[in-house]
Amino acid sequence: MTKVRPRSLLQVVLIGFVLVLMPLGGMIWHNTNALTHLSQLTSDEMERAVKDTRRATLLTAQAIDIERTLRRFAVLGDSRSLASYRLQLEGYHRLLAEHRNSLSDPQLYGGLDELLAQFGSLQEGAQAKKAVAGDILDQFNRLSQQLEAGTRSRVDEQMDRVRLAIDALTKELWWVSAVVAVISLLLVFIFTYLITHPVRQIESRILSLG
């Protein structure tokens, strides 16, 4: 079995240079991919958190508008208030349908769906007045507040996961850098010996000839 040996000192230097750079190149490739993935994850989570928080706040604001319009309709009983009330209910339905993908709470959504069905059946001033006199609005406000609080809690959990991912990646990068540094130093020492040993032999022979 033949052994591959460098034929000159220049080949030893080039081989050593390439082998020392290989772990560094691998580290750069790994760190770049890891940071790109983390950047994309952070961007996606931040965008989702902003959208969810904004939607939950808007749902709370629309719930307050629905309550105000319903109370006005109960007092006035005019068609304009009824039309505005219906439009607000439609808008709330659309937002709530979008929000179901962000926060999973079947019990909460079941309560809201039941209340919205009751709201949708109010078509006359007398019905609205009776509903306002009851506790339906208090239940609606309570569930709306629970929805917003649950969304904010969900967003906090998402941000905690991002922070944990950042901490884990930081530790991973430190370990990879330490391992690469050790390997690079070992290769430097090995090839330093391989380069300097023949030189010292040549120097010794020259001195002996002198």
Side-chain angles (χ1 to χ4, degrees):
M1 184 176 180
T2 59
K3 295 182 179 179
V4 179
R5 294 182 179 178
R7 298 181 179 179
S8 66
L9 188 60
L10 179 60
Q11 288 183 346
V12 175
V13 173
L14 292 177
I15 293 173
F17 183 76
V18 171
L19 290 179
V20 170
L21 286 181
M22 284 178 62
L24 296 176
M27 182 186 69
I28 293 173
W29 177 82
H30 170 270
N31 292 353
T32 300
N33 288 339
L35 291 174
T36 300
H37 173 71
L38 179 62
S39 175
Q40 185 64 41
L41 174 65
T42 304
S43 177
D44 293 342
E45 291 295 335
M46 288 295 294
E47 183 178 359
R48 186 179 299 111
V50 170
K51 288 182 178 179
D52 292 346
T53 304
R54 184 179 300 169
R55 193 186 304 113
T57 304
L58 188 57
L59 282 168
T60 302
Q62 287 196 357
I64 295 174
D65 291 339
I66 290 173
E67 178 184 357
R68 290 174 180 172
T69 307
L70 180 60
R71 290 184 183 278
R72 185 169 66 247
F73 176 59
V75 174
L76 301 176
D78 59 333
S79 58
R80 181 178 298 178
S81 298
L82 179 60
S84 177
Y85 173 71
R86 289 175 177 173
L87 287 176
Q88 289 171 354
L89 277 180
E90 290 177 3
Y92 191 92
H93 271 291
R94 286 194 299 269
L95 275 179
L96 189 64
E98 294 178 8
H99 203 70
R100 291 177 190 267
N101 298 325
S102 302
L103 180 65
S104 178
D105 192 338
Q107 185 177 359
L108 177 60
Y109 289 119
L112 285 172
D113 289 338
E114 183 179 349
L115 290 176
L116 290 173
Q118 296 180 34
F119 283 142
S121 64
L122 302 178
Q123 303 296 330
E124 298 179 359
Q127 294 176 334
K129 188 176 297 185
K130 184 178 179 180
V132 168
D135 61 347
I136 185 173
L137 291 178
D138 292 335
Q139 295 179 21
F140 188 48
N141 289 330
R142 177 173 54 83
L143 292 179
S144 296
Q145 292 173 2
Q146 289 181 8
L147 181 65
E148 184 174 1
T151 302
R152 294 186 182 279
S153 177
R154 171 77 173 178
V155 168
D156 291 339
E157 292 176 0
Q158 292 174 348
M159 293 300 99
D160 289 339
R161 285 198 296 270
V162 171
R163 282 190 287 269
L164 290 175
I166 292 174
D167 293 339
L169 179 61
T170 302
K171 293 178 182 179
E172 180 182 344
L173 293 181
W174 276 110
W175 276 109
V176 170
S177 300
V179 171
V180 169
V182 171
I183 294 175
S184 298
L185 286 175
L186 287 176
L187 290 174
V188 168
F189 290 146
I190 291 172
F191 280 94
T192 298
Y193 172 79
L194 292 177
I195 294 171
T196 58
H197 183 65
V199 174
R200 289 176 181 176
Q201 287 181 337
I202 295 174
E203 183 182 1
S204 176
R205 289 179 183 179
I206 293 175
L207 292 175
S208 63
L209 288 175

